[in-house]
Amino acid sequence: MRRPAFFTALVLAAYSLAASSFAAEPPPNILFAIADDWGPHASAYGTPWVKTPSFDRVAKEGLLFTQAYTPNAKCAPSRACILTGRNSWQLKEAANHICYFPPEFKGWGEALAEKGWNVGYTTKGWGPGVANDANGKPRQMTGKPYNKRRAEAPTPEILNCDYAANFSDFLDAAPAGKPWCFWYGSVEPHRGYEFGSGVAKGGKKLTDIDHVPAYWPDNDVIRNDMLDYAFEVEHFDRHLGRMIADLEKRGLLENTLIIVTADHGMPFPRSKGNANVQANHVPLAMMWKKGILQPGRTLSDFVSFVDLAPTLIEVAGMKWSDTGMAESPGRSLTDLFANKPAHVRDHVLLGKERTDVGRPHDWGYPIRAIVTQDSVFIENFEPTRWPGGNPETGYMDCDAGATKTFILDAHRKNPADPFWQLCFGLRPGTEFYDLKADPDFVHNLPADPRATALKTQLHAELSQQGDPRMSGQGAIFDEYKHAQPGNVGFYEKFMSGKPVKANWINQSDIEPKPVLP
């Protein structure tokens, strides 16, 4: 459903008015630092088993957000939301992982470059997938790549990329007098991990972990896996620290907007590739010495990734109507920069379509959800499908790792094991969790009266945003082609014995015997 013309005009007018207030001053440079698969685990959040001094500094000298969410907890669709300011269900093919990105949707990296900004990135920008323009030419979604520098990695599983040195190369090449935007795209803490590295190389102890979520067993295997994840988060943070130091050395820190976040939650069962508070909740801190008033604030406002594009376009002093970008439901965060909240931010919307292959016909697992301070309502549109991927192809919607392996092995030994059901079992069409009483969301209360009100609100907002699921057209997401031709029809090829590869699962993830729902 399209928004009324007068509403669109009001939105554009608001952006234009806000942009004019920033246009009077030189725009800040932008350092956008995004980790791969990092949940809100940082010492700034009180997590005792992760040490993140660089993230903590950004939070202390800027803003720390405690309720930041991605609309879609998978790499490519999440990054599409960041760049375009649109929810994944508003992005056609780009709602899916490893897609052909629709040429009609422009991102802020491209918009800034068109307006004369120097835009670059290192390692992982948008993706994985194929992003070409209408003429078939590859797009620079996050600018020019800077990937030449290499450094010895702490473990064989950590990429030997010197992210900070690549940033220095970008700054060295930046034209004088021209604003710049750099996307620091780490691939940590994406799996795999060197098992035990958190303890052996990171100096951590299993007892450092203060809480194991109730949907995983609490044992040494899971705690080691969590600490190995933490060790890789700290690798990302060290490079961020070097980048901040480089900005200080060059006298650029004062007028640089630094945004630090991750594309979605940790790569563990019931997290990445799902749609819930664990999967979609992300860290977020911002620092801009010249533009954020009263730094050091911690904000509990609910923030969505669709708010980032309007924010960046505004601080760049640009009018949204001049960018060529499609309309965004997001709202600029600059009112929070000024400590003058202009909006009620009390909920976020989440969703999921095809986040990986491995189901019959390359189908996804469609979900929509709404999260508030006290509760989460989740609607699973195809509850007869396996949420984590089909057992016979290895639960491909969940990356291989020690926690996944342990839960699958425990289920094979005891089919009544509750952790398998929580992480991989079939789910009902409706889920509702009271986050105050049940913060790990393991006790479903579908009959709670609050669920009805949240479902009504969710459907109303999705309908306003033109979500095909609300008009009975949701099957279109299953029809979009996967962008790796060799994996198209993966389930059928695998079941017929044809050779297909999936390097994100282990052979042991594949169930040797049929699994009953």
Side-chain angles (χ1 to χ4, degrees):
M1 183 176 75
R2 294 180 60 86
R3 287 180 172 176
F6 77 87
F7 183 88
T8 301
L10 286 175
V11 171
L12 296 177
Y15 283 138
S16 297
L17 180 62
S20 66
S21 66
F22 283 93
E25 298 289 337
N29 300 307
I30 299 168
L31 172 59
F32 189 86
I34 179 168
D36 203 357
D37 301 10
W38 175 30
H41 307 112
S43 36
Y45 290 119
T47 311
W49 43 279
V50 183
K51 306 301 180 186
T52 52
S54 306
F55 178 83
D56 301 350
R57 178 182 176 184
V58 173
K60 183 178 180 181
E61 299 180 22
L63 301 174
L64 178 66
F65 295 83
T66 63
Q67 295 288 357
Y69 289 81
T70 175
N72 192 310
K74 198 72 172 185
C75 300
S78 176
R79 291 159 190 257
C81 296
I82 291 171
L83 288 166
T84 64
R86 292 172 70 82
N87 288 301
S88 56
W89 48 89
Q90 298 178 295
L91 288 170
K92 298 183 178 180
E93 292 94 329
N96 291 344
H97 192 53
I98 312 183
C99 73
Y100 294 98
F101 198 102
E104 68 195 87
F105 297 118
K106 183 188 292 185
W108 48 259
E110 296 165 300
L112 292 177
E114 288 178 357
K115 297 299 181 181
W117 284 58
N118 185 39
V119 183
Y121 78 102
T122 186
T123 309
K124 187 169 183 178
W126 174 82
V130 176
N132 293 331
D133 63 20
N135 298 316
K137 182 180 178 181
R139 297 165 63 178
Q140 289 192 329
M141 301 284 286
T142 51
K144 179 182 176 182
Y146 286 80
N147 293 319
K148 293 182 179 179
R149 301 297 192 98
R150 290 289 179 263
E152 184 177 355
T155 78
E157 301 292 347
I158 291 176
L159 187 67
N160 66 338
C161 177
D162 195 332
Y163 303 109
N166 287 325
F167 178 52
S168 293
D169 287 348
F170 168 81
L171 292 178
D172 289 343
K178 207 174 184 183
W180 54 259
C181 175
F182 189 81
W183 174 294
Y184 161 32
S186 165
V187 294
E188 288 79 35
H190 194 290
R191 289 189 185 273
Y193 305 149
E194 180 182 67
F195 187 77
S197 57
V199 172
K201 296 181 178 179
K204 300 180 181 297
K205 303 186 295 295
L206 299 184
T207 54
D208 290 342
I209 294 178
D210 58 332
H211 176 69
V212 175
Y215 37 81
W216 304 331
D218 186 352
N219 58 43
D220 288 0
V221 172
I222 276 67
R223 285 177 174 251
N224 264 301
D225 205 18
M226 293 171 70
L227 293 180
D228 298 344
Y229 152 84
F231 185 61
E232 295 213 358
V233 170
E234 291 169 0
H235 181 76
F236 163 83
D237 191 76
R238 281 191 294 273
H239 281 268
L240 174 63
R242 288 173 55 197
M243 293 180 186
I244 295 173
D246 197 355
L247 290 173
E248 283 187 301
K249 180 181 177 182
R250 297 171 187 258
L252 297 173
L253 187 60
E254 191 76 12
N255 198 34
T256 297
L257 169 60
I258 302 176
I259 299 176
V260 189
T261 189
D263 51 6
H264 49 70
M266 54 199 306
F268 282 67
R270 203 172 165 90
S271 184
K272 175 184 177 181
N274 287 271
N276 57 50
V277 289
Q278 167 79 347
N280 298 70
H281 195 186
V282 294
L284 179 64
M286 300 184 186
M287 179 171 72
W288 178 16
K289 291 183 176 295
K290 287 188 67 174
I292 291 178
L293 301 181
Q294 296 178 273
R297 287 178 282 134
T298 297
L299 303 178
S300 59
D301 303 74
F302 277 73
V303 171
S304 171
F305 273 173
V306 299
D307 299 325
L308 295 179
T311 304
L312 294 176
I313 293 300
E314 182 180 340
V315 301
M318 296 164 56
K319 296 180 181 179
W320 189 272
S321 57
D322 293 338
T323 64
M325 297 170 66
E327 180 186 347
S328 168
R331 298 175 298 191
S332 172
L333 302 174
T334 54
D335 60 323
L336 300 180
F337 290 3
N339 199 17
K340 294 180 179 179
H343 306 286
V344 175
R345 295 180 169 95
D346 59 4
H347 70 281
V348 289
L349 304 185
L350 316 177
K352 169 183 173 174
E353 289 295 337
R354 185 176 66 225
T355 49
D356 258 316
V357 292
R359 295 185 188 85
H361 315 294
D362 291 336
W363 285 338
Y365 189 82
I367 306 173
R368 298 294 185 270
I370 181 170
V371 182
T372 70
Q373 187 69 44
D374 299 329
S375 55
V376 55
F377 171 83
I378 301 171
E379 185 169 4
N380 302 307
F381 289 89
E382 298 288 349
T384 61
R385 300 180 188 175
W386 292 98
N390 279 51
E392 59 270 31
T393 50
Y395 309 91
M396 294 174 69
D397 248 337
C398 180
D399 295 349
T403 297
K404 179 181 181 180
T405 296
F406 186 95
I407 293 173
L408 295 183
D409 286 346
H411 176 249
R412 291 165 190 149
K413 296 171 184 175
N414 174 20
D417 179 77
F419 300 108
W420 178 89
Q421 179 59 46
L422 286 167
C423 294
F424 299 106
L426 294 182
R427 297 173 185 164
T430 295
E431 299 177 72
F432 177 84
Y433 300 98
D434 184 332
L435 297 178
K436 291 295 185 183
D438 178 25
D440 286 339
F441 60 99
V442 295
H443 302 295
N444 187 19
L445 305 171
D448 191 298
R450 291 172 290 177
T452 301
L454 284 180
K455 180 178 180 178
T456 299
Q457 181 181 355
L458 173 65
H459 279 221
E461 294 191 32
L462 293 174
S463 295
Q464 186 183 55
Q465 294 175 11
D467 183 353
R469 287 281 165 199
M470 296 297 102
S471 57
Q473 305 299 314
I476 188 65
F477 294 110
D478 286 331
E479 297 171 5
Y480 292 132
K481 289 294 185 182
H482 193 268
Q484 289 179 346
N487 280 344
V488 172
F490 186 99
Y491 181 89
E492 289 73 21
K493 292 176 181 177
F494 180 88
M495 298 303 289
S496 67
K498 294 181 180 179
V500 283
K501 294 182 179 180
N503 59 7
W504 64 95
I505 63 167
N506 291 333
Q507 186 66 29
S508 63
D509 295 344
I510 300 168
E511 294 290 358
K513 299 179 181 178
V515 175
L516 298 176

